[in-house]
Amino acid sequence: MKKGVLIIIGLLIASSVAFFGFKHYKQQADRALAEQRQLAEQERLKAEAAKRAEAEAEAHRLAALKAQKDAEESARQLEKLRAEQADAEAARLAAEQADAAAAAERARLAREKEALEGEARLAAELREKEAADAEAARRAALLKLAEAEQQKRELADREAARLAALKAQQALEEQAAKRILLNKSIFPADYKRREHYYMTIDMWNAEPAAPKKAPAQP
């Protein structure tokens, strides 16, 4: 009886030991498995972190490379823009210089045209003045010639009148002399002088010139 109890007790003890041993083993195994899982998770996390770090580094490298390329492209574009601006500025300055030169040339041509037109006007005015002076001189010469001709005609008329008067006087004197010779008449002492006086008055009246002062009557 005691032997059976001891066996049962022994079995219980052995079962307890086995149970607690298995439990302890189980705990140890679970702990080890948890540690392994934890280590594996840590390794995975480390690997993921490394991958992320590598990806980030690659991204940074690519971003830096892209930024460098963008900077180089921007520098090229800026240089190109500066060159284009320089060319545009040079073209603008050249155009301004060309415009200024063209304006100066137009102004010079305008001055020359104005000067030529002024010279032409002066020449035309001078020709008109010369023509007017020549016409005035011609008219003055014609007037002087006409006056000279008139004076010549008047002088000729006066001379002809004087000669006619002289001839008439001579004729009268001859007639008077003939009458004296023919008639042998005796006249008063002042008869011949009075007749000569009247003849002289008639001759003066016949002349076209200004009348002269008549001699005193005897």
Side-chain angles (χ1 to χ4, degrees):
M1 175 95 181
K2 292 182 179 178
K3 185 177 179 182
V5 172
L6 290 173
I7 293 172
I8 293 171
I9 294 171
L11 289 172
L12 290 172
I13 293 172
S15 296
S16 298
V17 170
F19 173 76
F20 287 108
F22 177 78
K23 185 178 180 180
H24 178 72
Y25 171 78
K26 180 65 175 174
Q27 290 177 349
Q28 292 294 327
D30 291 339
R31 188 179 297 114
L33 182 59
E35 290 178 356
Q36 289 178 356
R37 288 178 177 176
Q38 186 177 2
L39 290 175
E41 183 66 20
Q42 290 177 355
E43 291 296 330
R44 187 182 65 79
L45 293 176
K46 286 181 180 180
E48 290 179 356
K51 288 181 179 181
R52 285 196 301 270
E54 184 179 358
E56 291 177 357
E58 183 65 16
H60 287 306
R61 186 184 69 81
L62 293 176
L65 183 60
K66 185 177 183 302
Q68 182 179 0
K69 289 182 179 180
D70 292 342
E72 292 176 354
E73 182 65 22
S74 298
R76 285 194 297 270
Q77 292 295 331
L78 181 60
E79 187 66 23
K80 181 180 179 181
L81 180 61
R82 288 176 178 174
E84 291 176 353
Q85 288 178 348
D87 294 339
E89 183 66 17
R92 185 184 66 80
L93 292 176
E96 289 180 355
Q97 292 176 358
D99 291 340
E105 183 65 15
R106 287 194 298 271
R108 184 185 68 81
L109 292 176
R111 289 194 299 270
E112 290 182 356
K113 180 181 178 182
E114 185 177 358
L116 291 175
E117 290 177 352
E119 292 176 0
R121 285 195 301 271
L122 290 176
E125 292 175 358
L126 181 60
R127 287 194 298 270
E128 291 178 359
K129 185 177 182 301
E130 290 177 350
D133 293 341
E135 181 64 18
R138 186 182 68 83
R139 291 180 179 178
L142 291 176
L143 181 60
K144 288 182 179 180
L145 182 60
E147 290 177 353
E149 292 292 335
Q150 181 67 24
Q151 290 177 359
K152 287 181 181 179
R153 286 194 297 270
E154 291 177 355
L155 182 61
D157 293 341
R158 287 195 298 270
E159 184 65 19
R162 188 182 67 80
L163 291 175
L166 288 175
K167 288 181 180 181
Q169 183 180 357
Q170 289 177 358
L172 291 174
E173 289 177 353
E174 290 177 356
Q175 290 177 3
K178 288 180 181 180
R179 283 196 300 271
I180 292 172
L181 291 175
L182 292 175
N183 297 327
K184 297 293 185 176
S185 301
I186 298 174
F187 297 97
D190 61 348
Y191 177 77
K192 291 184 178 180
R193 288 180 295 176
R194 187 181 302 275
E195 185 180 3
H196 181 71
Y197 169 77
Y198 290 138
M199 290 174 62
T200 303
I201 293 298
D202 293 336
M203 290 173 60
W204 284 344
N205 290 331
E207 292 183 359
K212 298 181 181 178
K213 185 177 179 181
Q217 184 176 358

